Amino acid sequence: MASLDHVDLELLSALSEDPRATVVALAERLRLSRNTVQARMARLDKAGVFRSFERSIATSALGFPLEAFLAIGVRQVELPRITAELQGVPEVVQVHGLSGQTDLLALVACRDARHLFDVDARILSIEGVERTETSLVMSEAVPYRVSGLMQLARREP
């Protein structure tokens, strides 16, 4: 991962505040040339700083209002294959590998409880998946954010 300087952090902060900002708007805001902003954006992208350029879309708008986290226990030796198979399940929105009792934590989106039951059954049928535990999402208490981390990073030497 690239080391971020003050200008990078200011650029990321501006993007965090206005993800739709154009390169020209960012250049004006930061008092930099368009070419400088473009070059820094390309370098940050190549370094893996940006997680995704996919818009974050509410699953409910797509007809999948029920979200749940599935804690998944697997046979460790089969983890790469299982992860690849989970990528093929359209209701799986995101998966994280964890340490501890749970091996994988998957966020899934479903139409209703019956659909969730079916998705869970499909995941349990993947060879090497030993167990799942389902927790319904009741609300998003703190959305994904990095603005606080950027503030801390600006203060660090």
Side-chain angles (χ1 to χ4, degrees):
M1 188 68 62
S3 142
L4 304 177
D5 65 17
H6 175 72
V7 176
D8 291 332
L9 290 170
E10 290 301 320
L11 176 57
L12 293 173
S13 180
L15 280 169
S16 179
E17 291 172 21
D18 184 4
R20 296 184 196 189
T22 64
V23 170
V24 172
L26 291 167
E28 288 175 7
R29 178 176 175 173
L30 300 173
R31 294 184 171 95
L32 299 169
S33 75
R34 182 191 61 77
N35 288 342
T36 298
V37 171
Q38 189 71 49
R40 282 183 178 261
M41 294 275 293
R43 183 179 56 77
L44 292 169
D45 187 30
K46 186 177 179 182
V49 171
F50 300 118
R51 294 179 72 175
S52 171
F53 288 104
E54 181 177 313
R55 283 232 189 251
S56 181
I57 299 168
T59 58
S60 59
L62 301 173
F64 302 90
L66 182 64
E67 291 184 327
F69 283 100
L70 272 62
I72 305 170
V74 304
R75 287 195 299 265
Q76 291 293 312
V77 296
E78 300 190 57
L79 188 59
R81 184 188 48 73
I82 292 167
T83 302
E85 287 196 45
L86 288 171
Q87 287 179 351
V89 178
E91 295 90 348
V92 172
V93 176
Q94 189 174 37
V95 179
H96 290 276
L98 305 178
S99 62
Q101 295 290 354
T102 298
D103 299 306
L104 298 169
L105 184 64
L107 175 62
V108 299
C110 299
R111 289 185 185 91
D112 52 34
R114 179 71 208 175
H115 187 193
L116 175 58
F117 182 81
D118 293 342
V119 170
D120 187 50
R122 266 190 283 150
I123 290 172
L124 278 167
S125 73
I126 296 172
E127 182 66 31
V129 171
E130 296 178 333
R131 67 191 176 291
T132 64
E133 182 178 329
T134 304
S135 298
L136 294 178
V137 172
M138 303 306 282
S139 69
E140 182 178 64
V142 178
Y144 179 84
R145 65 203 172 103
V146 293
S147 57
L149 294 175
M150 284 190 284
Q151 290 173 0
L152 288 175
R154 280 189 229 145
R155 289 186 220 145
E156 300 290 321

